[in-house]
Every structure is written in C-alpha cells, then in structure tokens.
Amino acid sequence: MASSEVARQLQNDNCRPLSLSGHVGFDSLPDQLVNKSINQGFCFNILCIGETGIGKSTLIDTLFNTSFDDRVSTHFQPNVRLRAQTYELQESNVRLKLTIVNTVGFGDQINKEDSYQPIVDYIDAQFEAYLQEELKIKRSLYNYHDTRIHVCLYFISPTGHSLKTLDLLTMKNLDSKVNIIPVIAKADTISKTELQKFKIKLMSELVSNGVQIYQFPTDDETICKINATMNGHLPFAVVGSMEEMKVGNKMVKARQYPWGIVQVENENHCDFVKLREMLICTNMEDLREQTHARHYELYRRCKLEEMGFRDTGPENKPVSLQETYEAKRHEFFGELQQKEEEMRQMFVQRVKEKEAILKEAERELQAKFEHLKRLHQEERMKLDEKRKLLEDDMIAFNKRKAATELLQAQAFASTPSVSLKKDKDRKKDPGFRLELLCFDVRDHEIVNVQEQSESEKLERDRNSHREFQK
C-alpha cells in the first residue's frame, strides 16, 4: 500500500501521532516479515496463452534461465485444455514455487468460438478452491498451495496488422479475472519500424474494445518512474532462446540467422530484459497483491452475493454475518416448505389422475370380460344343441342299422343257397366293389355314406327273392 493511502487512512481513523522518548523495538518488524517470508517461501503462477508453436515454452525457459522440459504439443488437438506444472526453484536463499499453466491446442481448431471458455473455467476453479478453503471452519491458509493465476502472458502473433478476433474475445473475457500482460512473440520476424507501428495499433485496438491490461503501479515513489516508462513500452516485443553464442568476448543468449545474430538480452534487439525486470524483479509482489485484492475479491463478492449475503440491510445499516445467515436460513426454509407443499399437491393430483385412469381401464376390462362371457355362453349353448342333435342322429342310425341287419339275417336264413350262389357270382363279377363306411364331420353333422348302400343292397335282395319265388 502506498504511503499516501496510509496517511489518508490514518486521518480517517482520527489517529493522533506521538513521539517516542526512547527505543522500543518494533522497527524490526520488516526484518521479521522478511525472515518469515524467506522461511515460508513464495509462490507465483503464470498462465501462458498463445497459439501452438508461438514460443511460449522457450520464453518461459529464457525468463527463469532453466529448462522446464515441457512436452511438445501438436496442432491436431480437438479442443483447448490447460496443463499445469509446478516446479521448486531457489535463488540464493529464496525459494519459489513456480506453477506454469500452458494452453494446449489454443487457436488450432476450425471453430474457435469457445476457445477461451476452458481458460475462464480454470481461473474460476482456482478462485473457488481458495474460497472454499477460506470458508472452512478449520482453515490452513498458512501452508495452502495457492494456485490462483497471478499473471497472464498473452502471446500475440507478429502479423504486423492487427489483433485477431480470438485475441480480443479472450482478453476481454479475462481482464476482470487475471492480470494480462500482452507480449509480441518472435519479434525478430518484423522490422523495427513495423514493430513500432504494430505496438501502436495493438494498444489502440485494446483501448477501443475496452480491454483492461495490467498497468505497472506508479503509486510507489521508488519505482514510479521506471514503471511509468515501462507502461509506455507495452506490449513487449520479445525473443526467446536458450542457445548461447559468443559475441565479442562473452557468451550471450542469441538466435543465429543468415543475416546476423539477435541477442535476447540486448535491449536494442528486443524487450526481453524489460519484461523480465517488470515481471520478476520489480512487480512480482504487486501482481500477487492485485490477484488477491482485486480479482479474487471481485469473484468472492459476486459469489457471496449470489448466496444472499450483504454488507448492509434494507435501511443501509450494517448487517452481521449471523443475521444474514439467519435471514437466509428462514428464507430458504420458507422456500423449502413452499416447494414441499407444491410437490405434495402435485403428488395428490397425479395420484387422482392415475386412479381415474385405472378405474376407467378397470371398467373397460370388466365390460370386455362380460362381453366375452356372454359370447362363451352362447357358443356353449350352440355346442350343446349340436351335440344333442348328433346323439339323436346316432341313435336313429343305430336303430336303422339294427333293422337292416335283422332283415338281412332273415333273408339269408330263408334262401341260403341262392344267397351263396349270388355271393359267388358277385365275387366273380369284375365290377365288385369294396364298400366302406365313411363319416364326414362338418359343423357337428354326420354324413353317412353306408346308409344309402345298405338300402340299395336290401332292395336288390328283395327283388331277387321275389324272382326266386316266381
């Protein structure tokens, strides 16, 4: 916090300054804070956004003067995903836990409409994790690994023309969630004149589209001048390389081209040194504070307001957390009861509708059952009548059969020789036929074929008997 703000706050609190008559010892507080911070260590999280192959990993390696062995990504990713890797670094006696988040597949899809959404979701997820840790009853923020993004290095392609639509949309959706520092990657591919015009064009587009990028603070007198100067150099045009070459009498990081050598740490060649000084040496702690005091507080306030918490009541009076909780609890309980009553009424209504449907189905089934029952009784009565008729026909047939057999027996008894002769003649007759008794059952009626044959036979026997008597 700046000294002017401290003085203003003291005036607002009506604090009266006093002088000390002797040494007290609280002037050692800065040393105590330094020792505590060194023992605890620091964390810093960087988000790198840019197209595949634009030089994100190379620049990060060059910034921290080490090789992070990041995996090479292809241009054939189906969607954008974020890959976070954490490293333990130490310089002198200061330990730094560095997390590098890389956007894999950013800008490689044909449809780039929602390419920024996974990035927004990731940043919100880190804020939510920190908020949940804060809201715990037993918190452990002292040793909690803070994964909130402190700075976003947005890599812009050195086209020399203007920003892409995807770049504007992404930065517009991220400027309220993270500190954005735009950098022009591979700045050695365009001339100095084109580069200067490109910077002016980019800044004008960012301002006209309302994109808020990170501005180096100018309220601290010790760094006010250098930060104000560096704000005029945004966006930084950088070149990254881990290859060392001998230039003159010293080894420098550079890139070799047929037309010459581009020195990474030469400010006449690129802005790499400016970026490293502003990002790491001068404003790293301010980036951490801005993340916590501005972006995280905005997310926390919006989340708590969504949950129904307010600082003031309807009459602009301060409201305690307990009062807000009780009011929200009663409101939630009332809504719960109302929903239970609505669900109960809906359940009763659906039960009644179901009962009506079941009763209607039962009536239909009963009517169908009665109809089938009547049909069954009618069919049964018809079958009984046909069976009775069949039995009567069978009785009548048996009677006729018995009478016929009796007549045949009497005829054979009176004329046995003639009958035998006629039987022999009949057997010799080539027209002799085998007579069969056939029954044909159709609709429970019997057609007797033999009855007619027996009648014809009896008639022939009678005629032959008369002729024999004559």
Side-chain angles (χ1 to χ4, degrees):
M1 186 178 293
S3 58
S4 59
E5 293 181 0
V6 174
R8 192 181 305 111
Q9 184 175 357
L10 291 176
Q11 292 176 2
N12 293 335
D13 294 339
N14 296 323
C15 294
R16 184 164 61 94
L18 294 176
S19 59
L20 302 177
S21 59
H23 180 265
V24 177
F26 58 80
D27 57 349
S28 64
L29 274 175
D31 298 331
Q32 297 176 30
L33 290 175
V34 169
N35 295 331
K36 181 180 179 181
S37 299
I38 290 175
N39 293 330
Q40 185 179 356
F42 300 89
C43 70
F44 193 63
N45 306 320
I46 302 176
L47 172 64
C48 299
I49 302 178
E51 299 175 357
T52 304
I54 203 170
K56 301 185 293 294
S57 301
T58 304
L59 181 64
I60 294 297
D61 292 347
T62 312
L63 278 173
F64 292 93
N65 200 19
T66 186
S67 180
F68 292 104
D69 297 329
D70 194 11
R71 296 192 301 271
V72 178
S73 302
T74 64
H75 291 272
F76 304 102
Q77 300 293 334
N79 48 27
V80 180
R81 58 187 181 88
L82 280 81
R83 183 171 61 208
Q85 292 178 322
T86 303
Y87 306 93
E88 289 281 353
L89 305 179
Q90 184 168 352
E91 185 177 22
S92 299
N93 60 340
V94 179
R95 293 180 293 107
L96 177 65
K97 183 178 288 186
L98 177 66
T99 300
I100 300 172
V101 183
N102 194 8
T103 53
V104 180
F106 182 80
D108 291 337
Q109 295 76 31
I110 296 177
N111 183 8
K112 302 178 179 63
E113 183 178 0
D114 297 327
S115 295
Y116 62 87
Q117 193 59 45
I119 305 173
V120 174
D121 295 340
Y122 179 85
I123 296 174
D124 288 343
Q126 310 318 307
F127 284 153
E128 183 65 25
Y130 193 88
L131 177 61
Q132 293 301 323
E133 184 66 26
E134 271 192 340
L135 296 177
K136 284 183 179 179
I137 297 176
K138 186 178 180 180
R139 301 185 297 180
S140 58
L141 293 175
Y142 176 80
N143 56 358
Y144 175 75
H145 181 206
D146 188 5
T147 58
R148 296 173 296 177
I149 301 299
H150 298 128
V151 63
C152 168
L153 295 179
Y154 197 95
F155 290 75
I156 301 171
S157 299
T159 60
H161 299 288
S162 60
L163 283 170
K164 299 178 182 179
T165 305
L166 177 61
D167 298 332
L168 286 173
L169 286 174
T170 304
M171 285 191 278
K172 184 63 178 177
N173 284 275
L174 294 180
D175 61 356
S176 62
K177 299 178 180 295
V178 68
N179 303 311
I180 301 176
I181 298 179
V183 295
I184 301 173
K186 298 182 179 181
D188 52 347
T189 59
I190 55 178
S191 63
K192 286 188 176 181
T193 306
E194 292 175 343
L195 184 60
Q196 191 62 31
K197 292 180 180 179
F198 190 40
K199 283 186 176 184
I200 298 172
K201 178 69 173 177
L202 293 182
M203 291 304 297
S204 64
E205 287 186 352
L206 292 175
V207 172
S208 62
N209 287 277
V211 178
Q212 300 292 328
I213 63 174
Y214 175 73
Q215 295 289 323
F216 302 116
T218 57
D219 52 358
D220 190 347
E221 296 177 356
T222 58
I223 58 175
C224 173
K225 187 175 180 180
I226 186 173
N227 280 349
T229 304
M230 290 304 168
N231 283 331
H233 287 279
L234 289 173
F236 293 127
V238 297
V239 177
S241 176
M242 290 297 291
E243 298 180 3
E244 291 189 352
M245 298 180 184
K246 189 174 183 179
V247 177
N249 296 326
K250 60 179 181 180
M251 300 295 293
V252 296
K253 292 183 174 64
R255 300 185 72 91
Q256 178 72 50
Y257 291 99
W259 43 264
I261 296 175
V262 176
Q263 299 179 28
V264 174
E265 296 180 344
N266 190 336
E267 294 191 34
N268 294 323
H269 293 181
C270 66
D271 298 332
F272 173 79
V273 175
K274 297 182 179 66
L275 174 63
R276 184 176 61 186
E277 290 292 326
M278 292 295 99
L279 179 65
I280 300 175
C281 302
T282 307
N283 298 300
M284 179 181 282
E285 183 59 28
D286 184 73
L287 288 167
R288 287 157 44 89
E289 289 181 0
Q290 285 290 324
T291 300
H292 182 79
R294 179 186 169 192
H295 302 297
Y296 171 69
E297 286 299 323
L298 176 62
Y299 177 84
R300 177 178 175 273
R301 184 175 72 248
C302 294
K303 272 293 182 180
L304 293 179
E305 287 177 355
E306 288 178 3
M307 296 170 62
F309 293 97
R310 298 287 188 277
D311 291 333
T312 57
E315 300 177 358
N316 292 328
K317 293 182 179 180
V319 180
S320 65
L321 182 63
Q322 182 67 24
E323 293 176 353
T324 305
Y325 172 76
E326 291 295 334
K328 195 67 179 176
R329 181 174 176 272
H330 288 303
E331 180 183 355
F332 177 76
F333 186 72
E335 293 178 357
L336 182 62
Q337 287 184 334
Q338 182 180 358
K339 289 183 179 179
E340 286 181 354
E341 183 64 26
E342 292 176 357
M343 291 179 66
R344 188 179 296 108
Q345 294 178 359
M346 185 181 298
F347 176 75
V348 172
Q349 181 181 358
R350 289 187 177 181
V351 168
K352 290 181 179 179
E353 293 176 356
K354 196 67 176 179
E355 286 181 351
I357 293 172
L358 291 175
K359 287 181 180 179
E360 182 65 24
E362 184 180 2
R363 285 194 295 269
E364 292 178 358
L365 289 175
Q366 185 66 26
K368 189 174 182 180
F369 173 74
E370 295 293 337
H371 178 66
L372 292 175
K373 187 176 180 181
R374 287 194 301 270
L375 292 178
H376 175 70
Q377 291 177 352
E378 292 175 358
E379 291 292 332
R380 187 172 180 179
M381 292 174 63
K382 290 179 180 180
L383 289 176
D384 290 341
E385 292 176 358
K386 290 181 179 180
R387 185 178 64 182
K388 187 175 180 181
L389 292 174
L390 181 61
E391 290 177 353
D392 293 342
D393 292 341
M394 290 176 65
I395 292 172
F397 171 74
N398 290 330
K399 288 181 179 180
R400 289 195 296 272
K401 183 179 178 182
T404 303
E405 291 177 351
L406 181 60
L407 289 175
Q408 287 180 350
Q410 291 177 357
F412 281 118
S414 59
T415 58
S417 58
V418 176
S419 298
L420 289 174
K421 185 177 180 181
K422 282 187 173 290
D423 288 339
K424 289 179 181 180
D425 295 338
R426 194 178 296 116
K427 288 179 181 179
K428 291 178 182 180
D429 186 6
F432 176 77
R433 293 178 301 174
L434 178 64
E435 296 178 356
L436 298 176
L437 182 63
C438 300
F439 293 92
D440 185 15
V441 180
R442 295 178 182 175
D443 295 332
H444 302 285
E445 294 181 2
I446 299 176
V447 179
N448 193 352
V449 180
Q450 190 181 7
E451 182 178 357
Q452 185 177 0
S453 301
E454 291 293 337
S455 301
E456 293 176 355
K457 184 179 178 181
L458 183 60
E459 186 67 26
R460 286 196 302 270
D461 291 341
R462 288 177 179 174
N463 293 334
S464 61
H465 182 66
R466 290 193 188 99
E467 291 177 358
F468 178 74
Q469 288 180 352
K470 289 179 181 180

